[in-house]
Amino acid sequence: MAGKITLTMIKPEAVRKGHIGAILAMLSEGGFRIVAMKYMKLSRETAEKFYEVHKEKPFYNDLTEFMSSGPIVAAILEKENAIEAYRGFIGTTNPADAAKGTVRNLFGSNIQENAVHGSDSDENALVEAGFFFSELERY
Ligand code: CMP
């Protein structure tokens, strides 16, 4: 499925603010098909593992604390050219710069609490999808 999937998370602040339903509705209307989905809370250790590529970044500690601060929704989404399509759909990392009407523009609070995650490459999408879901959990 390379090229057709991306991994998203609805992050803890968006969950706390009650935006799960609105974000899932937007994804569906945007033509992203849900292949797999989980509502769960990441442990600090699991969040550290997921964001390991950012280990050396100054925001790594705060990010992993935040990502383990409450439940998230993790999902594999399918669409043609999924990575680029989803990145355009959610907007830039910093919600302050995100295009009007994108998920991060509508629901993001700041560069860290930016409502949703989206994979940044086909290769990472496969790794991230495998991080959360077995083949048996994908439909
Ligand atoms: P995400 O798409 O999940 O990928 C890495 C995350 O790190 C990003 O969204 C933000 O939540 C966070 N992040 C990226 N850059 C910064 C930054 N400069 N300061 C704080 N957090 C950041």
Side-chain angles (χ1 to χ4, degrees):
M1 270 204 282
K4 287 193 175 172
I5 63 161
T6 188
L7 186 284
T8 192
M9 291 185 281
I10 301 177
K11 298 188 178 186
E13 110 278 10
V15 172
R16 276 192 283 273
K17 289 177 177 167
H19 295 319
I20 294 176
I23 292 173
L24 292 180
M26 262 185 88
L27 302 187
S28 179
E29 283 156 23
F32 295 90
R33 190 181 76 79
I34 294 168
V35 173
M37 187 161 67
K38 271 179 191 171
Y39 182 55
M40 62 188 293
K41 187 170 179 293
L42 299 177
S43 66
R44 182 70 183 261
E45 205 176 23
T46 309
E48 286 172 357
K49 205 166 166 204
F50 183 87
Y51 281 112
E52 206 163 17
V53 288
H54 295 303
K55 202 163 56 185
E56 305 306 327
K57 304 268 174 64
F59 56 80
Y60 179 70
N61 262 335
D62 284 349
L63 175 64
T64 56
E65 184 183 355
F66 162 60
M67 287 302 296
S68 55
S69 68
I72 60 153
V73 174
I76 300 174
L77 304 176
E78 182 183 47
K79 190 177 183 173
E80 281 303 324
N81 198 15
I83 299 295
E84 207 178 307
Y86 194 61
R87 285 168 72 81
F89 189 77
I90 64 178
T92 51
T93 304
N94 190 346
D97 304 325
K100 208 159 179 254
T102 58
V103 178
R104 284 170 169 163
N105 165 252
L106 291 170
F107 302 111
S109 306
N110 55 58
I111 195 163
Q112 177 175 274
E113 302 187 0
N114 59 358
V116 291
H117 168 79
S119 307
D120 63 3
S121 67
D122 288 334
E123 190 187 1
N124 282 340
L126 294 179
V127 172
E128 292 177 359
F131 188 88
F132 284 106
F133 302 100
S134 75
E135 288 302 326
L136 288 173
E137 294 171 305
R138 304 178 192 199
Y139 308 99

